[in-house]
Amino acid sequence: MALAKQIIGSSLIEKSEFFSSSSKLFLARPSLVPSQRRLVHLRRAQRGPVAAISEDLVKIVPVFSAEKPAKLKVRAVVTVRNKIKEDFKEAISKHLDSLTDKIGRNVVLELVSTELDPRTKAPKKSSEGVLKDWSKKSNLKAERVNYTAEFTVDSSFGVPGAITVTNKHQNEFFLETITLEGFACGPLHFPVNSWMQSKKDHPEKRIVFCNKPYLPDQTPDGLKELRQRELKNLRGDGTGVRKLSDRIYDYALYNDLGNPDKGIDLARPTLGGNKIPYPRRCRTGRPPTDTDMLAESRVEKPLPMYVPRDEQFEESKMDTFLFGRLKGVLHNLVPSLMSSFKADKDFRGFADIDSLYSEGVLLKLGLQDEFLKKLPLPSMVSKFQDYNQGVLKYDTPKILSKDKLCWLRDDEFARQAVAGVNPLSIERLKVFPPESKLDPEVYGPLESALKEEHITPYLYGMTVHQALDENKLYMVDYHDVYLPFLDRINALDGRKAYATRTLYFLTPTGVLKPIAIELTLPNTGPSSRSKRVLTPAVDATTNWMWQLAKAHVCANDAGVHQLVHHWLRTHATLEPFILAAHRQLSAMHPIYKLLDPHMRYTLEINKLARQILINADGVIESCFTPGRYAMEISSSAYQTWRFDTQSLPADLVQRGMAVPDPTQAHGVRLVMEDYPYGSDGLFIWGAIENWVRTYVHHYYPDSSLIRNDRELQDWYSESVNVGHADLRHENWWPSLSTADDLVSILSTLIWLASAQHAALNFAQYPYGGYVPNRPPLMRRMIPEENDPEYANFISDPQKFFLSALPSVLQAIKYMAVVDILSTHSPDEEYLGERQQPSTWSGDADVVEAFHKFSAEIREIEKEIDRRNSDPSLKHRCGAGVLPYELLVPSSEPGITCRGVPNSISI
C-alpha cells in the first residue's frame, strides 16, 4: 500500500474503491484504470449524451523510486455539439479553424488539482493537452463529436477538480461534457454545457468544474481561487454595453419597453423604482434614446438582443421558435396586405371562424394569388410548397375536439375557471356582498350591486348564509384590477371593458355554475349607470345578453391571466432569482446544481417578451383589453404580490380554496374536491417538496451550515434586495436560517418555474385559439334598452355578438401568437428529467434520490390519467368535457395541452 501511495498519490488511494482492504491482488499490479463496475452502472442509468469512455485505457505503471514522483499519462474525452446550420461567415471561419488548428491555433485544456502544491502554494496543474484531430473531424455531420486530449501529471497530482479551456480558434463552439479517464478513482465527469468563446473575444481561460458539489467552506484548497474568479467573471463590473458573446449577469430596470424616438405614442414609463415598482431584468447596457435619457434604446426584431451567451436558445429550440415566428410573421404580414386591399372587418358568422382551421386565411379570403404576387419575401413561402395547408392554416383548437358548441354552456364557462387556462383567479366567497379594497376617496362609492335576490333563485333552496357556510359560493373578481384603468382603456380605439365580478355556485352534483355577473364602470356622475348585474338567461334576449357578459368576463380574465398570473408571477418575478444564482452561487454549489435545470431558457424568453410581446405596440398591447396600459396593470399587481404566498398550499389557502389541515400530506385540504388544478397541483407540489427536502438535508444536516454558507446567503439577499429592490423592506419575505426555510424557498421557486408555469401557459391555444370561447378583448358594451345600439342588437344578435369580439385581423394575430406560446419544442426537458441524469452530480446518494423523484413523477402521471377517467369528477370527465392534463408531467413536441417542463422555456 505504501508503494501504491507513492506511485499514484495518497489522496487518490484513500478515496478510491480500488484500494480497499480486499484489493490485495490488484495491488500487485498498480494501474490507473477506471472502475468497470461503476462504469456499467452509469451507462445503464444514462439517458442523455455523455462522452464515450474507453474500455481499453489501461496503463501499466512502472515502479519508481521514492525520491522522484512518476510522470503519468491520462486522457480526456471531450464531447462537442456541432451546429446543425451555419451561415456563410461561420462556414468560412470553421474552414480556417480547421487549417490553423494544425499550426497551434487550437483548443487547449489544462487539468487543475483539488490540492495545492506544497512548494508553490498554488494549485497543482497538469501539462497542457490539445484536442486531437480537430481538422480531421471538422466536417463530420454528426450532432455530437468526441475529441480526445492527453495530459501528463505527477503521481502525486491528486484528483482533478477543474479544467481550464482556451479556444484559439476564430469560432465559438459548444462544449457539452468532458470525461477524464485514467485516474484510480474512476472516470471523472465535467458537465459543461457552455459556449467556449474565442480567445480573441475573451482572453481569459474558461474554467469548468467537476460534477462533485462543494459548499463554499468545503471547497478544496486547489479550487478556492478558481471558484471566486469564475463568479467574479460572471458578475462583471456593471458597466459597458454587453456583447452577444458575453456571459455577464447583472440587473436593470424595465426601461426598454417603449420607443420614444419613434413618437410620443410609443413612449412608456420605466417599470421599477418608487413610482412604478417592478422586479429587475437582465442588464444589457445599451445607450439611452435620443429623446429620453432615462429610456434605454431598443433593439427591434429580427436583430438579436443580449442575454448571457449560455442562456440563448439551443439550435433545435431556435428552429422551433423560428418556424413559429415565421408563422407569426406571415400572419402579421397577411393583415397588413389585407388592409391595403380592404378595411379590417368583423367575422360575418361562426363559419368564418371555422374556416381558419379548414380552409386557411388566404384561401378563405380569396387573397392567395394577390399574396404571392405582392409578398416581398416569396422565398419564405417557397419553403412550404403546400402553404395553404400548412403555414397559413390554423390547427383546430382542442376546445372544439369533443363538443364544438361546449363554449356556449354555462357549466363549461365555469369549468374553465377551475380547469382551464387560468385556474388561479377563482376564490371562495367569504363575505356577501363582495367588498372592494380600493380607496373610496379616489374611486367613489364602491359597494357591490349584487343583492341576495340576484343569486337566491340559483342556490337550490339554500339561503346565502347557508351557501357561504357550506363552501358553495365562489367568485372570480376583477373589480379592483380594472376599475382604476377603465376610463383610459375605454378611451382607446377598439376597446370596451367593464370591471367584472362573477359568482359561481357549486351544485349538489359537484358541478360549478355561474349565477351572476356584475359589470362596473367608473362612477362619473350622479346619474351614471356604473353598476349592472346580469343573471342566467330566461329567454332569447337575456340569453344573448348573458353570452356577451360571459365574453366580457373572459376578456378580463385573459388580461389578468397574461399580465399577472402568467407574466408577472412566473416570468418576471423569477428572473432576479436566476440572475442572483449565476452571480452568487458557484457551479460547484449543490443549490446551483439543484436549480440549474429550472433556470434554462428563462432569461432568453423574457428577453424576447421585452422585444415583441410586452413592448409598446407589441402583441400584448395589440391583442388584449388593457392596450398601452397593460404593463401598468402588471405593476399594480406587483405591489400586492408576496413571495410567501407563491407556494401552492399558501396560494390555495389565501384564496380560500383550501384550509389548513395538518392531517393531510401537504398540510391543507381542498374545500372543492373536484378542483383539477388544485388536486393535481398538490401531487406535483408534494413530489417537488419531498425531493428538495431530501436534497437540502443531505447537504445541510445542521442549520448552522445554512447560516454560514456565504454564497447561499448572498444569493438570497441579492435576489430580495437588488432583484426585488422595490419590495425589499416588506416584512413578509421568508428568512433563510434553517433547513425548513431553504426547503420552502427552493420548492416555491421550482414549483413556479415548472408546474405553475405549465398550468398557465400550454392551454393558451387549445382554449384561446377559438376566439369566441376566450376573446382577449371586447369592442362593444352590452346595450341597454335606451342605447342607440339596442335596436341593432335585437334585430341581429349574432352579428352584434361577433362585432363585439376581436376583428378578423386582431383574431388571427392573437391566434398566431398563442399558437407559438403553447408549443413544446423537441428539446424540452420535463419534470423528473435532466441532462446527464446519472452524472449531473458526483454524489451517488443524490443521484439515487433524483431517480426516486423521477419515479414518483411517473406515478403521479398515472394517477392523473386515472382521475381523468373518473365519472364522479365532472370538471374533468363527461360528455364533451376535456380531461385536465396540463399537470401531466410528460408530453410530445407540439401543442398537446399537457406536459410540465423543468423551466419557463417559452
Side-chain angles (χ1 to χ4, degrees), residues 407 410 413 476 478 496-504 514-520 532-537 541-557 772-773 775 778 780-783 793 800-801 804-805:
W407 66 276
D410 281 359
F413 172 78
V476 171
Y478 295 135
K496 293 301 176 203
Y498 300 93
T500 64
R501 280 193 184 107
T502 309
L503 296 191
Y504 302 87
I515 58 174
I517 295 174
E518 181 182 23
L519 306 170
T520 301
R532 186 175 177 187
V533 175
L534 278 75
T535 54
T541 300
T542 56
N543 176 67
W544 281 105
M545 291 280 192
W546 183 242
Q547 295 299 339
L548 282 166
K550 290 193 296 182
H552 273 281
V553 170
C554 288
N556 269 198
D557 187 75
N773 177 64
M778 294 292 284
R780 298 279 187 277
M781 294 294 192
I782 303 174
F793 165 71
F800 186 91
F801 181 83
L805 297 181

Side-chain angles (χ1 to χ4, degrees), residues 253 271-280 638 720-730:
L253 304 173
L271 303 184
N274 293 332
K275 290 185 178 179
I276 308 180
Y278 216 64
R280 301 302 188 255
Y638 180 61
V720 173
N721 293 305
V722 182
H724 287 277
D726 303 331
L727 301 180
R728 65 187 182 277
H729 296 306
E730 299 292 341

Side-chain angles (χ1 to χ4, degrees), residues 257-269 291-292 298 300 491-493 495 614-618 621-622 626-630 632:
L257 301 182
N259 197 344
D261 289 351
K262 286 193 172 182
I264 191 65
D265 285 346
L266 294 177
R268 294 294 181 271
T291 52
D292 184 352
R298 284 188 55 77
E300 301 290 0
L492 299 172
D493 288 340
R495 298 286 197 283
I614 63 173
N615 58 302
D617 205 30
E621 289 194 2
S622 300
R628 63 178 296 142
Y629 307 107
E632 290 182 58

Side-chain angles (χ1 to χ4, degrees), residues 62-370:
V63 177
F64 293 88
S65 66
E67 286 77 19
K68 190 173 182 181
K71 293 293 184 181
L72 309 173
K73 291 284 188 180
V74 295
R75 185 169 76 161
V77 180
V78 178
T79 301
V80 171
R81 189 166 68 221
N82 278 335
K83 287 186 177 179
I84 301 170
K85 300 174 184 175
E86 295 174 332
D87 60 28
F88 180 74
K89 182 179 178 181
E90 288 173 332
I92 294 296
S93 296
K94 183 177 180 180
H95 182 67
L96 289 174
D97 286 340
S98 177
L99 295 175
T100 58
D101 187 84
K102 298 178 180 179
I103 59 172
R105 285 175 54 179
N106 43 28
V107 178
V108 180
L109 278 62
E110 188 177 36
L111 311 185
V112 181
S113 174
T114 57
E115 299 178 3
L116 296 176
D117 187 309
R119 293 180 296 104
T120 64
K121 305 302 180 185
K124 297 176 183 177
K125 296 182 180 179
S126 71
S127 63
E128 291 186 343
V130 175
L131 290 196
K132 295 181 178 180
D133 299 326
W134 188 280
S135 58
K136 181 179 176 182
K137 296 181 178 181
S138 63
N139 291 322
L140 289 176
K141 301 302 182 183
E143 183 179 359
R144 293 174 175 83
V145 178
N146 291 328
Y147 299 90
T148 61
E150 292 186 350
F151 310 88
T152 302
V153 298
D154 289 341
S155 55
S156 60
F157 183 76
V159 178
I163 301 174
T164 62
V165 182
T166 304
N167 177 15
K168 298 180 184 178
H169 292 165
Q170 294 293 308
N171 270 0
E172 65 178 5
F173 66 91
F174 191 84
L175 179 52
E176 201 163 71
T177 62
I178 303 174
T179 300
L180 294 182
E181 305 171 335
F183 287 91
C185 55
L188 293 167
H189 299 282
F190 293 71
V192 185
N193 296 308
S194 181
W195 289 97
M196 298 291 123
Q197 300 299 324
S198 171
K199 184 178 179 180
K200 66 181 175 61
D201 296 320
H202 294 275
E204 284 199 22
K205 294 179 179 180
R206 277 294 307 278
I207 305 163
V208 298
F209 294 106
C210 189
N211 63 347
K212 182 171 175 56
Y214 296 102
L215 295 177
D217 290 344
Q218 298 167 355
T219 309
D221 291 341
L223 304 180
K224 286 181 178 177
E225 191 273 335
L226 289 181
R227 183 171 186 148
Q228 293 306 311
R229 189 199 308 173
E230 177 70 355
L231 285 174
K232 183 179 179 182
N233 291 340
L234 290 168
R235 286 194 285 264
D237 62 5
T239 64
V241 179
R242 297 273 61 84
K243 299 180 297 183
L244 292 176
S245 61
D246 284 346
R247 293 172 62 246
I248 294 176
Y249 298 79
D250 206 352
Y251 304 91
L253 304 173
Y254 279 75
N255 62 347
D256 65 340
L257 301 182
N259 197 344
D261 289 351
K262 286 193 172 182
I264 191 65
D265 285 346
L266 294 177
R268 294 294 181 271
T270 294
L271 303 184
N274 293 332
K275 290 185 178 179
I276 308 180
Y278 216 64
R280 301 302 188 255
R281 49 97 173 175
C282 182
R283 180 184 178 276
T284 59
R286 299 190 303 272
T289 61
D290 294 333
T291 52
D292 184 352
M293 290 300 293
L294 299 179
E296 189 173 85
S297 56
R298 284 188 55 77
V299 175
E300 301 290 0
K301 63 176 184 179
L303 296 176
M305 188 189 291
Y306 173 77
V307 289
R309 182 64 181 100
D310 290 339
E311 305 302 319
Q312 297 171 28
F313 285 156
E314 294 174 17
E315 203 165 0
S316 61
K317 174 78 171 181
M318 182 57 78
D319 283 348
T320 300
F321 187 80
L322 283 176
F323 177 67
R325 194 169 72 177
L326 175 62
K327 291 170 70 176
V329 167
L330 291 176
H331 281 305
N332 291 333
L333 191 56
V334 171
S336 66
L337 286 173
M338 286 173 61
S339 64
S340 68
F341 297 122
K342 58 190 77 175
D344 189 10
K345 61 179 185 177
D346 302 334
F347 289 106
R348 293 166 298 183
F350 290 104
D352 270 8
I353 303 174
D354 295 341
S355 71
L356 298 178
Y357 319 115
S358 60
E359 299 178 51
V361 176
L362 296 180
L363 193 62
K364 175 63 183 176
L365 298 174
L367 293 175
Q368 64 273 24
D369 294 332
E370 293 171 287

Side-chain angles (χ1 to χ4, degrees), residues 571-584:
H571 288 259
T573 57
L574 284 185
E575 184 158 347
F577 289 95
I578 294 171
L579 292 169
H582 287 285
R583 289 167 53 85
Q584 301 298 343

Side-chain angles (χ1 to χ4, degrees), residues 338-597:
M338 286 173 61
S339 64
S340 68
F341 297 122
K342 58 190 77 175
D344 189 10
K345 61 179 185 177
D346 302 334
F347 289 106
R348 293 166 298 183
F350 290 104
D352 270 8
I353 303 174
D354 295 341
S355 71
L356 298 178
Y357 319 115
S358 60
E359 299 178 51
V361 176
L362 296 180
L363 193 62
K364 175 63 183 176
L365 298 174
L367 293 175
Q368 64 273 24
D369 294 332
E370 293 171 287
F371 176 74
L372 288 176
K373 290 175 186 175
K374 298 189 177 185
L375 181 65
L377 301 172
S379 60
M380 261 187 186
V381 176
S382 67
K383 295 177 183 178
F384 301 93
Q385 297 298 319
D386 195 11
Y387 60 90
N388 279 321
Q389 298 302 313
V391 177
L392 296 175
K393 190 175 79 173
Y394 289 95
D395 295 328
T396 302
K398 194 171 184 179
I399 186 64
L400 304 180
S401 64
K402 285 197 168 189
D403 181 354
K404 191 175 179 180
L405 300 178
C406 69
W407 66 276
L408 289 166
R409 301 198 317 263
D410 281 359
D411 62 294
E412 176 61 23
F413 172 78
R415 190 192 72 83
Q416 291 184 31
V418 293
V421 184
N422 177 24
L424 268 67
S425 287
I426 191 164
E427 58 186 296
R428 178 166 53 89
L429 189 63
K430 300 174 184 176
V431 176
F432 187 86
E435 298 175 349
S436 171
K437 296 179 182 177
L438 295 175
D439 184 354
E441 296 292 326
V442 178
Y443 299 103
L446 297 169
E447 292 79 10
S448 172
L450 287 162
K451 308 296 182 187
E452 289 194 14
E453 53 264 32
H454 289 131
I455 66 172
T456 300
Y458 306 101
L459 301 185
Y460 287 74
M462 285 185 171
T463 66
V464 172
H465 182 73
Q466 287 173 321
L468 290 171
D469 285 348
E470 296 186 24
N471 300 328
K472 297 294 186 183
L473 286 173
Y474 295 85
M475 173 175 65
V476 171
D477 187 354
Y478 295 135
H479 178 277
D480 290 4
V481 176
Y482 279 96
L483 190 62
F485 295 90
L486 277 186
D487 279 335
R488 286 175 284 171
I489 289 172
N490 286 330
L492 299 172
D493 288 340
R495 298 286 197 283
K496 293 301 176 203
Y498 300 93
T500 64
R501 280 193 184 107
T502 309
L503 296 191
Y504 302 87
F505 179 73
L506 187 62
T507 66
T509 60
V511 174
L512 204 62
K513 286 285 188 70
I515 58 174
I517 295 174
E518 181 182 23
L519 306 170
T520 301
L521 293 169
N523 192 352
T524 56
S527 60
S528 171
R529 296 173 297 174
S530 62
K531 297 182 188 297
R532 186 175 177 187
V533 175
L534 278 75
T535 54
V538 294
D539 55 31
T541 300
T542 56
N543 176 67
W544 281 105
M545 291 280 192
W546 183 242
Q547 295 299 339
L548 282 166
K550 290 193 296 182
H552 273 281
V553 170
C554 288
N556 269 198
D557 187 75
V560 171
H561 161 261
Q562 201 68 267
L563 295 167
V564 180
H565 297 316
H566 181 198
W567 167 255
L568 174 67
R569 291 180 60 181
T570 62
H571 288 259
T573 57
L574 284 185
E575 184 158 347
F577 289 95
I578 294 171
L579 292 169
H582 287 285
R583 289 167 53 85
Q584 301 298 343
L585 295 175
S586 166
M588 288 191 286
H589 199 292
I591 300 306
Y592 180 91
K593 289 182 178 296
L594 175 69
L595 290 176
D596 185 37

